[in-house]
Amino acid sequence: MEPYPLEPFRIKMTEPVRPTTREERERLLQKAGYNVFRLPSWSILVDLLTDSGTGAMSQEQWAALFLGDEAYAGARSFERFQAAVQDYTGKRFVLPVHQGRAAEKILAQALIQPGDTVISNTFFDTTLANFLFRGARAVELPAPESHDFESDAPFKGNVDLAALEQTLQDLKRRGRRVALFTMTITNNTRGGQPVSLDNLRRTAEVLKAYEVPFHIDACRASENAYFIKKREPGQESRSIAEIVRESLSFADVVTMSTKKDGLANVGGFIATDREDLYREFSQYLVLWEGFLTYGGLSGRDLEAIAVGLKESLEESYLAYRIGQVAYLASGLREQGVPVYWPPGGHAVYVDAKAWLPHIPREQFPGQALVVALYREGAVRAVELGSLMFGKEKQVERELVRMALPRRVYTQRHLDHVLETFGRLAPERHRLHGFRIVYEPPYLRHFLAELAPVAP
Ligand code: F0G
């Protein structure tokens, strides 16, 4: 098992967590329609639903909140935010948004026409939904090694370059327009796996030849850069900041939810060097988010993000963060739980169908595991399988993701997760599947209601 990393901080403020009984959790599950998005957070002991907006801010971030300039236009907080984003991305034009999907909506409106194709290493769910909502067809081309759950390949988040070239050629021959290519770094729905600098560079070359705009979804660009520094030949002596900037230099447009590597509880941005795109995005920003200098955020949020972006580049922080993920993943692997290997940047991914082979896909084995983790240990994880994606695409594996909030949980919390799996293991053949009793047309996993299927 990987050693637990030493935290490069100490704790100054605490948030109480209330213990609950199994009966209480069973009642809450029923009330929530067995959808853990509908559970109250007070009933959760270790919340690994997402790493998005759930991190702990540093003392520097809390201090920065007091500097918030809440002017509607021209706030000083925006200047600090803009400078921080320019520094992080190396891009000139910066538009703040209230969270990542707002950036995706603006991008979709500006670049996608109904019937266009969009291509990616793999889209995140909100990105995919926003692009499909505009009438696009989506093609995902993850690297072949990403299908292998076991191998130690260093950059399983890469796009399959040969397939990309082939797809672009075919679409061109058929006279079909490609609106954009999205590289998601790290690749959230593929094990949180990194994308190499080499893959980014070559992708940019291919896209240039076909005149397709290159979009980078940079939610976890700092974590991605840490993997590049550790694994890519020739990168070991560069700073994380330099690697992030070079990674993003290949993109025409960068979007980021600063709820992830922005180390903030809210926010996001669009950044580009292209003035034509900046002007077009600006119109939609004013229409949907707010004026150019706040984009749906308060001045104090802009301040916290400006500090957080910088902190995410500290190597001691990233070593701790990625070490924590490796600790949990290796602990589960030692118990025989099938986890995606090597561990990714922000989360551990379990192949629920492999662990619960008796539950058919149509009965959502991932959700069965998610429900069992909560019932047994008040641990909240999230399904990334047929419930989340079954309507939009062919799902390869029924995954359950446990995402680690940044700077929040201790070793004992993670040991509690390991123990919960340990207690479930001998009983797991008794777990049963679920059926959907209500679902909305888009992003159904957030709002769906389920019922147990009798064993
Ligand atoms: N892109 C990626 C790769 C993401 O992981 C997310 C959010 C978004 C875009 C959208 O950002 O939530 O600020 O609107 N991911 C969270 C998660 C929700 O749990 O992985 P948002």
Side-chain angles (χ1 to χ4, degrees):
M1 192 160 156
E2 295 286 327
Y4 188 83
L6 186 67
E7 284 91 351
F9 54 80
R10 51 189 177 216
I11 297 168
K12 178 139 61 182
M13 194 189 291
T14 62
E15 184 180 355
V17 176
R18 171 183 182 280
T20 49
T21 63
R22 202 188 164 88
E23 292 67 38
E24 215 173 344
R25 294 195 292 276
E26 187 60 62
R27 234 183 359 263
L28 287 164
L29 274 170
Q30 278 177 28
K31 203 169 145 206
Y34 297 92
N35 180 344
V36 294
F37 282 98
R38 293 170 172 268
L39 288 172
S41 113
W42 59 256
S43 73
I44 292 153
L45 195 58
V46 184
D47 197 350
L48 308 182
L49 180 70
T50 179
D51 63 323
S52 179
T54 51
M57 292 209 295
S58 65
Q59 59 181 4
E60 283 74 18
Q61 286 179 292
W62 282 107
L65 294 183
F66 287 92
L67 301 176
D69 174 352
E70 307 299 345
Y72 189 95
R76 218 172 313 116
S77 297
F78 175 71
E79 287 170 21
R80 279 191 281 266
F81 173 86
Q82 178 177 243
V85 175
Q86 285 169 336
D87 229 36
Y88 188 83
T89 61
K91 303 281 182 220
R92 193 167 144 216
F93 300 108
V94 175
L95 295 157
V97 292
H98 82 277
Q99 66 178 92
R101 69 200 70 180
E104 293 156 10
K105 180 181 176 194
I106 290 170
L107 193 65
Q109 182 71 26
L111 295 181
I112 299 172
Q113 300 296 327
D116 283 354
T117 302
V118 291
I119 310 175
S120 179
N121 56 340
T122 316
F123 294 104
F124 184 64
D125 64 349
T126 59
T127 325
L128 181 64
N130 267 296
F131 292 178
L132 296 181
F133 193 75
R134 269 296 280 166
R137 294 158 208 252
V139 179
E140 295 189 324
L141 304 171
E145 59 269 31
S146 77
H147 303 291
D148 182 345
F149 227 61
E150 299 286 328
S151 86
D152 274 324
F155 292 105
K156 286 181 166 179
N158 283 353
V159 69
D160 181 340
L161 283 163
L164 175 63
E165 185 120 39
Q166 188 65 51
T167 305
L168 288 169
Q169 222 172 66
D170 288 352
L171 290 167
K172 189 171 179 179
R173 212 186 40 245
R174 285 156 47 205
R176 295 269 299 280
R177 206 178 87 102
V178 180
L180 61 91
F181 173 89
T182 298
M183 191 78 95
T184 311
I185 65 172
T186 57
N187 195 339
N188 188 5
T189 44
R190 286 263 155 186
Q193 296 295 306
V195 176
S196 71
L197 262 185
D198 183 61
N199 194 253
L200 285 161
R201 187 179 306 113
R202 287 168 191 249
T203 301
E205 283 164 15
V206 173
L207 295 176
K208 202 169 210 143
Y210 288 87
E211 297 178 351
V212 172
F214 191 175
H215 163 224
I216 295 184
D217 177 342
C219 286
R220 299 175 183 85
S222 304
E223 290 166 7
N224 196 76
Y226 182 80
F227 285 114
I228 290 175
K229 185 176 164 90
K230 294 290 162 195
R231 296 181 185 170
E232 195 158 348
Q235 301 301 320
E236 55 281 353
S237 56
R238 295 178 78 193
S239 72
I240 302 291
E242 267 179 300
I243 298 172
V244 168
R245 263 197 303 274
E246 186 180 352
S247 305
L248 304 183
S249 71
F250 302 112
D252 296 292
V253 184
V254 174
T255 60
M256 181 168 180
S257 162
T258 52
K259 299 172 79 168
K260 285 83 171 175
D261 277 353
L263 284 168
N265 300 122
V266 74
F269 62 78
I270 310 176
T272 181
D273 276 329
R274 283 183 48 182
E275 192 162 2
D276 57 330
L277 291 180
Y278 168 71
R279 286 200 186 283
E280 182 152 15
F281 298 153
S282 298
Q283 303 170 42
Y284 301 124
L285 191 80
V286 174
L287 183 65
W288 289 324
E289 291 286 287
F291 190 62
L292 302 182
T293 59
Y294 74 90
L297 296 166
S298 64
R300 52 184 171 270
D301 296 328
L302 295 168
E303 298 281 356
I305 296 163
V307 176
L309 276 174
K310 210 168 266 158
E311 287 179 359
S312 81
L313 299 168
E314 282 164 20
E315 212 175 316
S316 59
Y317 154 73
L318 287 166
Y320 144 75
R321 164 125 185 99
I322 285 161
Q324 223 188 9
V325 174
Y327 176 81
L328 181 58
S330 61
L332 287 172
R333 199 187 208 202
E334 270 180 26
Q335 289 185 26
V337 178
V339 293
Y340 197 105
W341 207 257
H346 68 293
V348 177
Y349 297 70
V350 175
D351 186 337
K353 178 76 186 124
W355 209 58
L356 302 172
H358 61 287
I359 302 179
R361 280 202 139 171
E362 310 72 65
Q363 293 179 14
F364 309 114
Q367 193 61 14
L369 175 55
V370 166
V371 167
L373 286 169
Y374 175 72
R375 185 191 285 119
E376 182 62 38
V379 172
R380 179 157 68 171
V382 69
E383 194 257 17
L384 257 73
S386 291
L387 181 61
M388 184 178 274
F389 290 115
K391 281 179 78 165
E392 281 90 7
K393 62 184 183 191
Q394 192 70 35
V395 172
E396 202 174 293
R397 282 183 201 258
E398 302 296 332
L399 298 179
V400 166
R401 186 190 73 176
M402 288 174 283
L404 295 182
R406 293 168 179 77
R407 308 188 287 207
V408 171
Y409 290 117
T410 64
Q411 180 171 12
R412 190 66 193 87
H413 288 113
L414 301 193
D415 287 345
H416 173 77
V417 177
L418 295 173
E419 288 161 13
T420 302
F421 268 93
R423 285 200 303 275
L424 284 177
E427 299 287 318
R428 67 187 200 261
H429 59 279
R430 290 212 203 114
L431 297 178
H432 50 70
F434 288 87
R435 65 188 168 81
I436 295 178
V437 292
Y438 162 75
E439 61 174 309
Y442 286 95
L443 295 170
R444 68 176 176 186
H445 50 289
F446 288 122
L447 305 176
E449 287 167 32
L450 304 140
V453 175

